[in-house]
Amino acid sequence: MRVLLLGSGGREHALAWKMAKSSLLEELFIAPGNAGTKQHGTNVNISPSNFEEVKGFVLENNINMVVVGPEDPLVNGIVDFFEADADISEVPIIGPNKVAAQMEGSKDFAKEFMKRHNIPTAKYGTFTKDTLEKGYAFLETMKAPYVLKADGLAAGKGVLILDNLSEAKKELKSMLSDAKFGDASSRVVIEQFLDGIELSCFVITDGDAYKILPEAKDYKRIGEGDKGLNTGGMGAISPVPFANPTFLEKIKNQIIIPTIKGFKADEIVYKGFVFFGIINVKNEPYVIEYNCRMGDPETEVVIPRLKSDILDLFEGVATNTLSECDIQFDERSATTVMMVSGGYPESYEKGKQIFGLNAVTESIIFHAGTVSDGPAVLSNGGRVLAATSYGKDVATALKKSYESIAKIEFEKSNYRKDIGFDVL
Ligand code: AMP
Ligand code: GLY
């Protein structure tokens, strides 16, 4: 297969690393990729949101599979763009179409879906500028803390959790009337606060059959002890110790199966990865959110635990034969620790040379925000690289990730020293 992978983060490096191991791979291209993806294929300087350029590349290079990493092109309809164009409609593209991607692209769409299919989730109401007063009244019926969510994509920043009612009302107004998150907050979902511990679950589906991937837990806050600002994710572990077989069975029966059946019932053609953001409230799972792609940094621990050929699975998705694919997992645990630029998730500097990458022997270094400069590798984002390790358990794997990180240096680097603290 000649594969084009879209994206440039740690998730895409992990996917590229895995595809490079496939006997089905002939040639891999990554658009735009990073200094890490270059180890497994050819980076091409095309933005995943420029569909015309993606099309041109696919045609010129006889690409016969496109894999979409991030949510933006999916929510903006790259799959529909391919299907509607006779020149490329035969090229399989792995990811959900525009309607299906609304599971991530619109919180209200996802909540309506869950309500329709009896999937456990927080109680909610959806409001617009015209129903602001009703939104205030709804808030008055709720207890603190108050959860406000911009309906649309807001680069992970669209959720506010507020301790008092007057603040919640003020923020609701700012989201709806003053477009605090632009168009994304022209509708706002107000949700009951759920108190529990979160985990991420993943499924790959061809629309009929599905395969459950290993679960993971990511660490979103910048500071130790889960304090401080939200980030894209500072580390991840898999498996998740509290996700025992009974709890995973509940997730499957109460959430995963009703979701896949719900797609069919609603005639939503969903192909690709489904990411279930789940919260454990007194041993009962509830859906916090759906995403239409793999998680990052969860991919950096989930994909290393996949033993089967990922291109075989993608082919199963493309040809509606996923039910025939065999899927095997590594029994070992996997952990990843993110090294980030000092200052992230607020302002930070890029272009710092990274030293010590070749000294790492016991972990896989997945690049998240890097760029090559001749033989040098420079930082090129907030999240810079992820050190993934295997171990007989999470604690052993984490020890290796930290030993590897200690060998890597760049100016003003930062990382959390307590990944896994809450479950070990
Ligand atoms: P989301 O973008 O929907 O995943 O929300 C971002 C984060 O906000 C989640 O990962 C949770 O930590 C938190 N969150 C979202 N919804 C709720 C809720 N209903 N109750 C408690 N925490 C929530
Ligand atoms: N790690 C959470 C996400 O990818 O959205």
Side-chain angles (χ1 to χ4, degrees):
M1 270 189 252
R2 298 176 58 77
V3 180
L4 173 64
L5 169 65
L6 303 181
S8 63
R11 168 182 48 216
E12 286 74 26
H13 187 180
L15 290 170
W17 169 85
K18 184 67 185 167
M19 288 193 275
K21 295 180 185 302
S22 169
S23 58
L24 300 172
L25 185 72
E26 194 183 313
E27 193 159 4
L28 176 63
F29 299 91
I30 311 96
N34 60 39
T37 60
K38 254 172 60 174
Q39 300 160 24
H40 312 293
T42 308
N43 287 348
V44 290
N45 190 16
I46 291 177
S47 160
S49 45
N50 190 334
F51 299 171
E52 285 294 345
E53 269 186 31
V54 171
K55 171 187 166 180
F57 186 86
V58 164
L59 290 174
E60 278 159 35
N61 294 278
N62 298 316
I63 297 297
N64 40 34
M65 177 169 288
V66 179
V67 178
V68 187
E71 63 276 17
D72 273 293
L74 296 167
V75 172
N76 292 325
I78 193 165
V79 171
D80 311 66
F81 174 86
F82 268 62
E83 284 170 358
D85 189 322
D87 293 341
I88 48 172
S89 60
E90 298 298 314
V91 181
I93 173 159
I94 305 301
N97 64 22
K98 191 170 183 170
V99 168
Q102 289 291 297
M103 293 296 285
E104 175 164 3
S106 165
K107 301 272 188 204
D108 179 63
F109 181 94
K111 294 297 276 190
E112 287 280 319
F113 177 90
M114 288 186 268
K115 194 161 74 180
R116 226 171 16 253
H117 302 293
N118 285 316
I119 295 166
T121 188
K123 291 193 184 54
Y124 80 106
T126 302
F127 303 92
T128 63
K129 198 163 66 188
D130 299 332
T131 55
L132 182 60
E133 292 297 327
K134 284 195 179 138
Y136 291 156
F138 188 75
L139 280 172
E140 281 163 15
T141 68
M142 314 275 284
K143 282 194 269 204
Y146 303 92
V147 182
L148 307 183
K149 299 185 171 184
D151 180 58
L153 290 187
K157 297 193 173 75
V159 176
L160 301 179
I161 299 183
L162 304 154
D163 285 326
N164 72 67
L165 184 61
S166 61
E167 217 184 333
K169 286 182 175 175
K170 201 177 111 217
E171 289 294 350
L172 180 66
K173 180 164 184 295
S174 142
M175 288 167 91
L176 290 174
S177 304
D178 313 329
K180 177 170 181 139
F181 299 106
D183 242 15
S185 66
S186 60
R187 283 197 293 182
V188 171
V189 170
I190 301 177
E191 233 177 62
Q192 167 201 14
F193 179 82
L194 297 176
D195 195 8
I197 183 161
E198 288 174 65
L199 79 160
S200 309
C201 293
F202 304 95
V203 153
I204 183 165
T205 178
D206 61 7
D208 287 297
Y210 67 90
K211 305 279 181 189
I212 301 176
L213 303 174
E215 79 285 358
K217 183 175 197 309
D218 85 335
Y219 290 80
K220 288 203 177 86
R221 302 298 193 91
I222 186 71
E224 268 127 40
D226 282 341
K227 300 276 173 1
L229 294 174
N230 255 322
T231 70
M234 296 294 289
I237 61 169
S238 177
V240 179
F242 69 79
N244 57 43
T246 313
F247 188 66
L248 291 175
E249 239 350 78
K250 283 186 187 172
I251 293 176
K252 179 174 160 188
N253 292 325
Q254 296 168 24
I255 294 172
I256 295 176
I257 293 175
T259 298
I260 302 292
K261 283 192 175 158
F263 292 148
K264 290 294 271 187
D266 293 350
E267 296 180 13
I268 295 171
V269 182
Y270 199 115
K271 283 168 170 285
F273 292 109
V274 191
F275 171 153
F276 303 79
I278 287 173
I279 190 161
N280 175 347
V281 183
K282 300 195 180 91
N283 288 320
E284 293 302 323
Y286 292 81
V287 176
I288 288 276
E289 64 167 344
Y290 286 97
N291 293 315
C292 63
R293 37 112 190 144
M294 283 298 289
D296 195 349
E298 290 96 326
T299 307
E300 291 93 302
V301 292
V302 171
I303 292 300
R305 294 191 63 213
L306 173 67
K307 285 213 264 186
S308 314
D309 185 328
I310 197 167
L311 285 182
D312 181 53
L313 294 173
F314 287 158
E315 200 162 59
V317 170
T319 56
N320 284 356
T321 55
L322 188 64
S323 64
E324 293 162 29
C325 297
D326 177 45
I327 191 160
Q328 301 284 338
F329 303 110
D330 197 316
E331 287 305 311
R332 289 175 297 173
S333 297
T335 61
T336 200
V337 177
M338 249 323 149
M339 265 184 117
V340 305
S341 301
Y344 171 80
E346 296 182 281
S347 64
Y348 57 83
E349 293 164 29
K350 298 186 195 177
K352 307 292 184 195
Q353 186 168 354
I354 303 168
F355 299 97
L357 290 169
N358 293 333
V360 175
T361 50
E362 297 301 308
S363 303
I364 312 161
I365 301 300
F366 291 123
H367 293 220
T370 65
V371 65
S372 303
D373 180 20
V377 176
L378 310 182
S379 67
N380 192 38
R383 292 192 292 172
V384 176
L385 43 90
T388 294
S389 315
Y390 294 104
K392 67 177 178 0
D393 51 30
V394 165
T396 313
L398 276 169
K399 188 163 173 283
K400 283 198 216 164
S401 288
Y402 281 118
E403 282 165 4
S404 298
I405 287 233
K407 296 180 178 165
I408 303 175
E409 268 178 64
F410 59 91
E411 213 183 301
K412 297 187 182 162
S413 67
N414 181 30
Y415 61 92
R416 261 181 74 165
K417 293 156 192 82
D418 70 339
I419 299 303
F421 80 99
D422 54 342
V423 293
L424 288 178

